Amino acid sequence: MKNKAIWGIAVLVFVLAVLVIWWIQSSQKEVEDNAEYEEQERIRSFFTELRQHNGFLYTGEEESFFLQFDEALLEGELTGSLLIIEHTDDNASQDIETNYQINGITDGHILELYTTVDGESVKLTGQFHDGADRFELFFWMREDPLLFRAVTEEEFNQFYEELNE
């Protein structure tokens, strides 16, 4: 009789252990699924916001930069162009404009862009700040990162007209 009671308790403990393990695993799976869903929603929201901007502008005393993304895919791929306007000291001469084709990747946090400068591939790295409205970017021609802000087409056109006056 004692053996049957011991076996009964052992089976009961075993069944309870299996149920506890199953419950823990299903809870972990649910947490993982929710985290994955939330990350997908964050990325979807980020790219929707990114596509709403005409481009990103940095203005400085020596030069201005305008970065425009032509394509921004949910998978993180980016293509576009970078316009660099070097301001000249001489009022009689025009500012020097150089346009670069860019491609790169982002996850909504980091930003890696690639372009060709003087026949060589150059990597630009940076990061977005709390959404798709602004980001910092390190350039081959600067030691410190530049802070870009989102602009509408009208804002950029106004800036460009004032620059050429």
Side-chain angles (χ1 to χ4, degrees), residues 23-41:
W23 180 75
I24 290 172
Q25 287 177 340
S26 67
S27 295
Q28 286 175 338
K29 172 100 172 92
E30 186 177 325
V31 167
E32 289 171 6
D33 289 347
N34 285 341
E36 184 176 330
Y37 176 77
E38 288 173 8
E39 179 64 6
Q40 288 172 350
E41 285 300 308

Side-chain angles (χ1 to χ4, degrees), residues 8-24:
I9 291 173
V11 167
L12 183 60
V13 167
F14 177 77
V15 168
L16 287 175
V18 167
L19 287 174
V20 167
I21 290 171
W22 173 81
W23 180 75
I24 290 172

Side-chain angles (χ1 to χ4, degrees), residues 15-82:
V15 168
L16 287 175
V18 167
L19 287 174
V20 167
I21 290 171
W22 173 81
W23 180 75
I24 290 172
Q25 287 177 340
S26 67
S27 295
Q28 286 175 338
K29 172 100 172 92
E30 186 177 325
V31 167
E32 289 171 6
D33 289 347
N34 285 341
E36 184 176 330
Y37 176 77
E38 288 173 8
E39 179 64 6
Q40 288 172 350
E41 285 300 308
R42 182 195 67 80
I43 289 172
R44 206 174 280 112
S45 174
F46 171 82
F47 278 95
T48 299
E49 183 181 350
L50 184 67
R51 288 185 202 110
Q52 291 174 353
H53 303 305
N54 182 57
F56 295 86
L57 182 66
Y58 166 82
T59 55
E61 290 182 22
E62 297 175 9
E63 66 262 326
S64 297
F65 300 86
F66 180 66
L67 182 60
Q68 186 172 29
F69 295 118
D70 299 327
E71 187 173 48
L73 303 177
L74 280 176
E75 294 79 16
E77 297 173 22
L78 303 168
T79 60
S81 60
L82 170 65

